[in-house]
Amino acid sequence: LVPVGEVFRRMPFVVRDLARDVGKRVQLEIAGQSTEIDKFLIERMMDPILHLVRNAVGHGIETVERRVAAGKPPEGTIRLHASTVGESVVIEIADDGGGIDLDAVAERAPGQSIHASDGALDSRLLLDVICASGFSTRDEADRISGRGVGMAVARATVDELGGTLEVDTEPGRGTTFSITLPLTI
């Protein structure tokens, strides 16, 4: 077993560089970096975690102007957290951004109604849509996102490792992706 901090310690540089590239102000909070997981699992999870962090900067955190207009601090926050729950490790990648734009997702996924009839979001369907190969809410790919393969690969990797990927999003409040993996494989 090795600490998940081996992956987490690379993320401050990623967040700093991406935020600078897109003109956003973002702070990164890390917790649980001493949580241990199988070395093979953490090596395989590097790319999915990196993709989710990149999405948090590119899609999740709003521009300074939008954040201030929404009554938020100008600097957005991305939180990486790992913890052990029973015989599993839970890794969360959360942002305090605008949440997943459900209208944009629905527009790009014709025929998919991602709103439940009682007003509650169907998280499983939302995850199915955003993890579909080729799905993107961007018209053009940039350095951060828009190629439509990252979420599909992230989910496939988690599935291959016997884990689960979940999403929780709230408009105007942010998004949390939770990855649950076995401690060892």
Side-chain angles (χ1 to χ4, degrees), residues 102 105 112-129 167-169:
L102 302 178
V105 171
Q112 295 289 344
S113 175
I114 56 173
H115 300 279
S117 60
D118 64 359
L121 175 65
D122 183 342
S123 299
R124 190 172 303 226
L125 178 57
L126 173 63
L127 195 60
D128 288 346
V129 171
V167 63
D168 181 34
T169 189

Short mmCIF file of all heavy atoms in Angstrom, two decimals, residues 102 105 112-129 167-169:
data_model
loop_
_atom_site.label_atom_id
_atom_site.label_comp_id
_atom_site.label_asym_id
_atom_site.label_seq_id
_atom_site.Cartn_x
_atom_site.Cartn_y
_atom_site.Cartn_z
N LEU A 102 -26.83 21.62 -16.77
CA LEU A 102 -27.73 20.55 -17.21
C LEU A 102 -28.36 20.87 -18.56
O LEU A 102 -28.60 19.97 -19.37
CB LEU A 102 -28.78 20.29 -16.15
CG LEU A 102 -28.23 19.89 -14.77
CD1 LEU A 102 -29.37 19.70 -13.79
CD2 LEU A 102 -27.37 18.67 -14.86
N VAL A 105 -25.80 20.05 -21.18
CA VAL A 105 -25.68 18.60 -21.32
C VAL A 105 -26.88 18.06 -22.11
O VAL A 105 -26.71 17.28 -23.05
CB VAL A 105 -25.58 17.91 -19.94
CG1 VAL A 105 -25.69 16.39 -20.07
CG2 VAL A 105 -24.29 18.30 -19.25
N GLN A 112 -32.16 12.69 -24.31
CA GLN A 112 -31.87 12.35 -22.92
C GLN A 112 -32.48 13.40 -22.01
O GLN A 112 -32.10 14.55 -22.05
CB GLN A 112 -30.36 12.30 -22.68
CG GLN A 112 -29.64 11.22 -23.43
CD GLN A 112 -29.95 9.84 -22.87
OE1 GLN A 112 -30.46 9.69 -21.77
NE2 GLN A 112 -29.67 8.83 -23.66
N SER A 113 -33.42 13.01 -21.21
CA SER A 113 -33.98 13.91 -20.22
C SER A 113 -33.27 13.63 -18.91
O SER A 113 -33.49 12.60 -18.28
CB SER A 113 -35.49 13.67 -20.06
OG SER A 113 -35.98 14.47 -19.01
N ILE A 114 -32.40 14.55 -18.51
CA ILE A 114 -31.60 14.30 -17.31
C ILE A 114 -32.24 14.87 -16.06
O ILE A 114 -31.67 14.86 -15.00
CB ILE A 114 -30.17 14.83 -17.47
CG1 ILE A 114 -30.17 16.31 -17.80
CG2 ILE A 114 -29.42 14.03 -18.51
CD1 ILE A 114 -28.81 16.94 -17.82
N HIS A 115 -33.45 15.37 -16.21
CA HIS A 115 -34.19 15.87 -15.05
C HIS A 115 -35.26 14.85 -14.69
O HIS A 115 -36.03 14.42 -15.54
CB HIS A 115 -34.88 17.21 -15.37
CG HIS A 115 -33.92 18.28 -15.76
ND1 HIS A 115 -33.20 19.00 -14.86
CD2 HIS A 115 -33.55 18.73 -16.98
CE1 HIS A 115 -32.43 19.86 -15.49
NE2 HIS A 115 -32.62 19.72 -16.77
N ALA A 116 -35.30 14.45 -13.45
CA ALA A 116 -36.33 13.51 -13.01
C ALA A 116 -37.66 14.25 -12.88
O ALA A 116 -37.70 15.47 -12.70
CB ALA A 116 -35.94 12.88 -11.67
N SER A 117 -38.74 13.53 -12.97
CA SER A 117 -40.06 14.17 -12.95
C SER A 117 -40.36 14.88 -11.63
O SER A 117 -41.10 15.85 -11.61
CB SER A 117 -41.14 13.13 -13.24
OG SER A 117 -41.09 12.10 -12.27
N ASP A 118 -39.78 14.42 -10.53
CA ASP A 118 -40.04 15.07 -9.24
C ASP A 118 -39.10 16.24 -8.97
O ASP A 118 -39.09 16.80 -7.89
CB ASP A 118 -39.97 14.06 -8.10
CG ASP A 118 -38.58 13.46 -7.94
OD1 ASP A 118 -37.67 13.81 -8.73
OD2 ASP A 118 -38.40 12.64 -7.02
N GLY A 119 -38.30 16.61 -9.98
CA GLY A 119 -37.38 17.73 -9.83
C GLY A 119 -36.01 17.33 -9.32
O GLY A 119 -35.08 18.11 -9.37
N ALA A 120 -35.87 16.09 -8.84
CA ALA A 120 -34.56 15.62 -8.37
C ALA A 120 -33.74 15.17 -9.58
O ALA A 120 -34.26 14.57 -10.51
CB ALA A 120 -34.74 14.47 -7.39
N LEU A 121 -32.49 15.48 -9.53
CA LEU A 121 -31.59 15.12 -10.61
C LEU A 121 -31.33 13.62 -10.61
O LEU A 121 -31.05 13.03 -9.56
CB LEU A 121 -30.27 15.88 -10.44
CG LEU A 121 -29.16 15.54 -11.42
CD1 LEU A 121 -29.57 15.94 -12.83
CD2 LEU A 121 -27.89 16.25 -11.02
N ASP A 122 -31.40 13.01 -11.75
CA ASP A 122 -31.04 11.60 -11.89
C ASP A 122 -29.54 11.54 -12.13
O ASP A 122 -29.07 11.64 -13.26
CB ASP A 122 -31.82 10.98 -13.06
CG ASP A 122 -31.55 9.50 -13.21
OD1 ASP A 122 -30.53 9.00 -12.66
OD2 ASP A 122 -32.34 8.83 -13.89
N SER A 123 -28.78 11.40 -11.04
CA SER A 123 -27.31 11.42 -11.10
C SER A 123 -26.75 10.31 -11.97
O SER A 123 -25.76 10.50 -12.68
CB SER A 123 -26.71 11.32 -9.71
OG SER A 123 -27.10 12.41 -8.93
N ARG A 124 -27.36 9.14 -11.91
CA ARG A 124 -26.85 8.01 -12.69
C ARG A 124 -26.98 8.29 -14.19
O ARG A 124 -26.06 8.04 -14.95
CB ARG A 124 -27.59 6.74 -12.31
CG ARG A 124 -26.97 5.50 -12.90
CD ARG A 124 -27.63 4.29 -12.32
NE ARG A 124 -27.50 4.35 -10.87
CZ ARG A 124 -27.13 3.36 -10.11
NH1 ARG A 124 -26.88 2.20 -10.66
NH2 ARG A 124 -27.04 3.47 -8.81
N LEU A 125 -28.12 8.83 -14.62
CA LEU A 125 -28.31 9.15 -16.03
C LEU A 125 -27.36 10.26 -16.45
O LEU A 125 -26.76 10.20 -17.52
CB LEU A 125 -29.76 9.54 -16.32
CG LEU A 125 -30.06 9.93 -17.77
CD1 LEU A 125 -29.68 8.80 -18.73
CD2 LEU A 125 -31.51 10.30 -17.93
N LEU A 126 -27.21 11.29 -15.60
CA LEU A 126 -26.28 12.38 -15.90
C LEU A 126 -24.88 11.82 -16.11
O LEU A 126 -24.19 12.17 -17.08
CB LEU A 126 -26.27 13.41 -14.78
CG LEU A 126 -25.22 14.52 -14.92
CD1 LEU A 126 -25.45 15.36 -16.17
CD2 LEU A 126 -25.21 15.39 -13.67
N LEU A 127 -24.44 10.93 -15.24
CA LEU A 127 -23.12 10.33 -15.36
C LEU A 127 -23.01 9.52 -16.64
O LEU A 127 -21.99 9.58 -17.34
CB LEU A 127 -22.82 9.46 -14.13
CG LEU A 127 -21.38 9.06 -13.92
CD1 LEU A 127 -20.49 10.29 -13.75
CD2 LEU A 127 -21.27 8.16 -12.71
N ASP A 128 -24.06 8.77 -16.97
CA ASP A 128 -24.06 8.00 -18.23
C ASP A 128 -23.88 8.92 -19.43
O ASP A 128 -23.13 8.60 -20.36
CB ASP A 128 -25.35 7.20 -18.39
CG ASP A 128 -25.44 6.01 -17.45
OD1 ASP A 128 -24.41 5.62 -16.85
OD2 ASP A 128 -26.56 5.47 -17.30
N VAL A 129 -24.54 10.06 -19.42
CA VAL A 129 -24.45 10.99 -20.55
C VAL A 129 -23.06 11.62 -20.62
O VAL A 129 -22.42 11.60 -21.67
CB VAL A 129 -25.53 12.10 -20.45
CG1 VAL A 129 -25.31 13.18 -21.50
CG2 VAL A 129 -26.92 11.49 -20.61
N VAL A 167 -21.53 11.10 -9.25
CA VAL A 167 -21.50 12.55 -9.38
C VAL A 167 -22.65 13.15 -8.58
O VAL A 167 -23.75 12.59 -8.52
CB VAL A 167 -21.58 13.01 -10.86
CG1 VAL A 167 -22.90 12.59 -11.50
CG2 VAL A 167 -21.38 14.51 -10.99
N ASP A 168 -22.38 14.28 -7.98
CA ASP A 168 -23.39 15.06 -7.29
C ASP A 168 -23.16 16.51 -7.70
O ASP A 168 -22.05 17.02 -7.52
CB ASP A 168 -23.26 14.91 -5.77
CG ASP A 168 -24.32 15.69 -5.01
OD1 ASP A 168 -25.46 15.81 -5.51
OD2 ASP A 168 -24.01 16.20 -3.93
N THR A 169 -24.16 17.15 -8.27
CA THR A 169 -23.99 18.52 -8.72
C THR A 169 -25.19 19.35 -8.32
O THR A 169 -26.31 18.85 -8.25
CB THR A 169 -23.77 18.58 -10.26
OG1 THR A 169 -23.41 19.91 -10.64
CG2 THR A 169 -25.00 18.13 -11.03
#
